C-alpha cells in the first residue's frame, strides 16, 4: 500500500508540473489578455454606457406620457339650505363629494426644436465613437504589452540557453584541466582557475534563470494568469522588415486613435456650437391630456366625468443675456486649440516612426555583423580547445575564446530582441500589428 501511495504521489507531482508549465503561443497570450485585462473591460463598459446615452438622446423624439392620480378626503363640504314651498321642510344642496378622485393622462411631444434634438443625437453618436476609439487605443496598448512580454520571455529563455551552454563548456574545460593536472602537465594554479571559472559561470546561470522567471511573471501578469503557469511556445528569431517611412507615416495619420479622437472632438465642438446657437430660438410642442374625475356635477357629485384637451405650446427665450453667443464663441476657441493639438500629435507621430525606423536599421546592421562574428568566434573556440588539450596554449587563451563567443552570441540575440522591440514601437506608431500575424 505504501508503494501504491508513493506511486500516486509521484504521478500527481509530474502532472502538476506539466500543467504548471503550459506553453502558449502568441495568439493564445493575446486572446487571454483581451479576455482578462481590467482596463479593456472598463473601456467596454464605458462604450456600453455611451450607447445608452445615445438611446437617451434618440428618446427625445418620442412623446412623453405621464399619468397623474390623486385622492382627496374633504372633511367639510359647502352646503346650502333652501325652501321650495312654505309648508315643505328646507332642502340641502351639497357641493362636491367627501371622496374626491381624479386621473389625468398627459402627453407632450416636441414638434420643432430648431434641430436641438437632431444635434444632441449627433453629439451622442460622436460620443459613442469616441468611446469606441478609447477601447481601440486600450487594446492596441495591451497588444504592445503582450508582445513585449512574450518576446521578452523568449529572449530570456535564449539567454538562459546560452549561459547553460557556456557552463557546459566550462565543465569540459575543467575536466580537461583535471586530467592534465593529474598527469603533471599543469600547475595547481590552473586547476584553481578552472574551478573559479566554473563557479562564476554557475552564478551567471542562476542570474539568467532568475531573469527568465521575472519575464515569465510579467507575461503571466499581462495575460491574467498566475505566475509560473505559462511560458512562451517558440524561439526568438530575426524576421526582416521592409522600411518605407512615407508609407508608415501616412498609415499612422489615418489609423492612430489619438488623431481620430481629436477629429471626433472637433466634430463634437461643431455640434455643440449648433446647439448653443439654438439656445435663443423658439420651441414648438404638442400638449394633450385626458382626465377622469368626480365631484364635478353638483347635482350628482359621485358621478365620474371625462374630459380632454389638445393644443400647441410655443416657448421663445427673447433675451438670454447673450449666453448663447458667448457659448458659441468659447466653443470656437476650443476648436482652434484642438487644431494646434492635432499638429503637435502629428509631429510626435512622425518622430516616433523615424526613431523606430532608425532603431530597426541599427539592429539589422548589428545582427548581420554579429552573425558573421559568431562563426568566427565558434571556429576560434574550437581551435583553442584542441590546442589547449594538446598543451599548445594556456588556459587564459582558452578562456578568452570562450568569453568572446559568449559575448558575440549575447550581442547577436540582444540585437534580434532590439529589432523586435523596434518593430513593436513601429506598430504602436502606426496602430497596426499585422507584421506579427505570422507568429500569432
Amino acid at each position: 500500500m505504501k508503494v501504491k501511495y508513493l506511486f500516486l504521489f509521484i504521478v500527481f507531482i509530474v502532472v502538476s508540473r506539466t500543467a504548471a508549465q503550459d506553453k502558449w503561443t502568441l495568439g493564445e497570450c493575446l486572446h487571454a489578455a483581451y479576455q482578462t485585462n481590467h482596463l479593456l473591460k472598463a473601456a467596454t463598459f464605458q462604450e456600453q454606457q455611451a450607447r445608452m446615452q445615445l438611446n437617451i438622446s434618440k428618446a427625445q423624439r418620442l412623446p412623453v406620457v405621464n399619468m397623474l392620480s390623486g385622492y382627496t378626503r374633504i372633511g367639510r363640504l359647502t352646503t346650502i339650505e333652501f325652501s321650495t314651498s312654505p309648508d315643505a321642510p328646507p332642502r340641502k344642496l351639497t357641493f362636491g363629494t367627501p371622496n374626491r378622485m381624479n386621473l389625468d393622462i398627459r402627453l407632450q411631444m416636441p414638434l420643432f426644436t430648431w434641430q436641438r434634438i437632431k444635434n444632441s443625437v449627433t453629439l451622442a453618436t460622436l460620443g459613442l465613437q469616441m468611446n469606441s476609439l478609447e477601447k481601440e487605443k486600450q487594446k492596441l496598448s495591451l497588444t504592445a504589452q503582450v508582445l513585449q512580454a512574450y518576446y521578452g520571455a523568449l529572449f530570456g529563455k535564449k539567454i538562459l540557453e546560452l549561459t547553460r551552454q557556456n557552463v557546459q563548456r566550462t565543465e569540459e574545460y575543467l575536466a580537461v584541466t583535471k586530467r592534465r593536472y593529474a598527469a603533471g602537465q599543469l600547475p595547481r594554479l590552473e586547476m584553481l582557475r578552472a574551478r573559479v571559472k566554473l563557479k562564476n559561470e554557475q552564478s551567471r546561470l542562476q542570474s539568467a534563470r532568475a531573469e527568465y522567471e521575472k519575464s515569465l511573471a510579467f507575461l503571466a501578469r499581462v495575460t491574467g494568469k498566475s505566475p509560473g503557469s505559462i511560458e512562451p511556445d517558440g524561439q526568438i528569431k530575426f524576421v526582416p522588415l521592409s522600411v518605407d517611412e512615407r508609407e508608415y507615416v501616412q498609415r499612422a495619420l489615418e489609423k492612430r486613435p489619438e488623431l481620430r479622437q481629436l477629429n471626433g472632438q472637433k466634430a463634437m465642438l461643431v455640434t455643440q456650437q449648433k446647439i448653443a446657437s439654438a439656445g435663443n430660438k423658439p420651441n414648438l410642442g404638442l400638449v394633450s391630456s385626458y382626465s377622469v374625475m368626480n365631484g364635478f356635477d353638483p347635482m350628482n357629485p359621485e358621478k365620474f366625468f371625462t374630459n380632454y384637451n389638445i393644443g400647441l405650446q410655443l416657448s421663445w427665450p427673447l433675451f438670454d443675456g447673450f449666453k448663447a453667443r458667448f457659448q458659441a464663441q468659447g466653443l470656437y476657441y476650443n476648436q482652434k486649440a484642438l487644431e494646434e493639438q492635432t499638429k503637435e500629435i502629428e509631429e510626435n507621430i512622425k518622430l516616433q516612426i523615424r526613431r523606430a525606423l532608425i532603431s530597426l536599421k541599427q539592429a539589422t546592421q548589428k545582427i548581420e555583423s554579429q552573425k558573421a562574428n559568431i562563426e568566427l568566434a565558434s571556429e576560434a573556440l574550437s581551435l583553442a580547445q584542441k590546442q589547449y588539450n594538446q598543451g599548445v596554449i594556456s588556459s587564459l587563451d582558452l578562456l578568452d575564446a570562450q568569453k568572446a563567443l559568449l559575448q558575440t552570441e549575447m550581442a547577436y540575440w540582444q540585437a534580434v530582441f532590439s529589432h523586435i522591440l523596434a518593430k513593436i514601437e513601429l506598430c504602436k506608431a502606426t496602430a497596426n500589428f499585422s507584421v506579427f500575424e505570422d507568429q500569432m
Side-chain angles (χ1 to χ4, degrees), residues 250-284:
Q250 181 179 0
R251 185 187 305 172
L253 296 180
E254 293 175 356
K255 299 296 184 180
R256 278 290 287 265
E258 294 90 338
L259 290 177
R260 291 156 64 191
Q261 282 182 324
L262 285 175
N263 292 331
Q265 291 180 15
K266 294 176 185 177
M268 292 178 72
L269 286 176
V270 172
T271 306
Q272 289 174 350
Q273 282 182 323
K274 294 179 181 179
I275 295 176
S277 300
N280 56 0
K281 300 301 187 296
N283 288 325
L284 181 64

Side-chain angles (χ1 to χ4, degrees), residues 173-194 388-395:
Y173 156 64
L174 177 60
V176 174
T177 303
K178 286 181 178 180
R179 185 173 64 252
R180 294 183 61 190
Y181 174 73
Q185 300 176 358
L186 292 176
R188 180 171 175 77
L189 177 61
E190 294 292 337
M191 174 65 68
L192 296 176
R193 180 180 294 157
Y388 179 72
N389 294 342
Q390 296 171 359
V392 177
I393 62 175
S394 66
S395 62

Side-chain angles (χ1 to χ4, degrees), residues 10-161:
I10 294 175
V11 171
F12 174 77
I13 294 297
V14 172
V15 173
S16 300
R17 288 180 58 86
T18 303
Q21 296 176 353
D22 290 337
K23 291 187 176 182
W24 282 33
T25 63
L26 177 58
E28 291 173 334
C29 292
L30 288 170
H31 179 73
Y34 296 153
Q35 296 295 322
T36 59
N37 185 261
H38 298 294
L39 294 179
L40 188 58
K41 288 182 179 180
T44 302
F45 289 134
Q46 290 173 352
E47 182 184 26
Q48 294 174 349
Q49 190 275 336
R51 185 172 286 106
M52 295 303 102
Q53 188 63 42
L54 176 59
N55 294 334
I56 293 174
S57 299
K58 291 180 178 180
Q60 297 179 82
R61 297 169 174 171
L62 302 177
V64 177
V65 180
N66 293 319
M67 184 184 72
L68 301 176
S69 180
Y71 168 78
T72 304
R73 175 67 181 181
I74 301 176
R76 179 178 294 180
L77 300 175
T78 302
T79 303
I80 299 176
E81 293 186 0
F82 61 92
S83 299
T84 57
S85 63
D87 298 332
R91 298 185 60 184
K92 294 182 179 181
L93 181 60
T94 302
F95 293 91
T97 175
N99 298 310
R100 186 70 179 269
M101 291 176 287
N102 68 290
L103 174 67
D104 293 337
I105 298 178
R106 299 177 183 178
L107 179 143
Q108 291 180 323
M109 182 176 180
L111 298 179
F112 178 74
T113 62
W114 211 276
Q115 294 189 341
R116 290 186 184 90
I117 296 179
K118 177 183 176 181
N119 290 326
S120 66
V121 172
T122 302
L123 193 63
T125 303
L126 292 172
L128 176 59
Q129 294 175 0
M130 296 286 287
N131 279 272
S132 299
L133 288 173
E134 187 64 31
K135 178 182 177 181
E136 179 182 343
K137 186 167 66 174
Q138 184 60 45
K139 189 173 183 179
L140 289 172
S141 176
L142 179 60
T143 301
Q145 289 183 12
V146 174
L147 287 171
Q148 290 174 353
Y150 183 82
Y151 286 104
L154 287 179
F155 175 67
K157 182 179 179 181
K158 175 57 68 174
I159 296 300
L160 181 61
E161 292 175 359

Side-chain angles (χ1 to χ4, degrees), residues 223-374:
T223 55
K225 299 299 178 180
S226 58
S229 61
I230 63 173
E231 63 176 332
D233 184 15
Q235 295 289 333
I236 189 172
K237 60 182 179 179
F238 169 60
V239 180
L241 182 66
S242 60
V243 176
D244 188 346
E245 182 175 351
R246 182 177 301 178
E247 178 183 352
Y248 287 129
V249 170
Q250 181 179 0
R251 185 187 305 172
L253 296 180
E254 293 175 356
K255 299 296 184 180
R256 278 290 287 265
E258 294 90 338
L259 290 177
R260 291 156 64 191
Q261 282 182 324
L262 285 175
N263 292 331
Q265 291 180 15
K266 294 176 185 177
M268 292 178 72
L269 286 176
V270 172
T271 306
Q272 289 174 350
Q273 282 182 323
K274 294 179 181 179
I275 295 176
S277 300
N280 56 0
K281 300 301 187 296
N283 288 325
L284 181 64
L286 174 67
V287 179
S288 179
S289 67
Y290 178 83
S291 60
V292 179
M293 67 180 66
N294 63 351
F296 187 76
D297 186 358
M299 303 304 296
N300 190 3
E302 298 294 338
K303 183 178 179 181
F304 283 89
F305 286 85
T306 61
N307 194 8
Y308 73 93
N309 62 73
I310 186 171
L312 299 175
Q313 180 176 336
L314 175 68
S315 63
W316 194 341
L318 299 179
F319 181 70
D320 62 352
F322 304 108
K323 178 181 177 181
R325 176 183 175 184
F326 294 147
Q327 285 179 340
Q329 289 180 349
L331 292 171
Y332 169 78
Y333 292 121
N334 285 339
Q335 187 174 3
K336 289 297 182 180
L338 286 177
E339 291 177 359
E340 297 300 326
Q341 293 177 17
T342 301
K343 294 178 182 178
E344 180 67 18
I345 292 179
E346 288 177 350
E347 294 299 325
N348 289 335
I349 288 174
K350 293 177 183 178
L351 177 60
Q352 185 179 1
I353 292 175
R354 191 171 296 113
R355 293 178 62 179
L357 291 178
I358 292 174
S359 298
L360 275 173
K361 184 178 180 180
Q362 290 178 336
T364 302
Q365 293 174 347
K366 192 170 184 179
I367 288 170
E368 293 174 352
S369 63
Q370 293 299 329
K371 186 176 182 180
N373 288 341
I374 289 177

Side-chain angles (χ1 to χ4, degrees), residues 198-217:
L198 180 58
K199 290 292 183 181
N200 290 335
E201 294 304 322
Q202 288 174 344
S203 177
R204 181 178 295 179
L205 178 61
Q206 293 177 353
S207 299
R209 185 177 292 109
E211 292 299 322
Y212 179 54
E213 291 176 356
K214 290 179 183 179
S215 64
L216 291 180

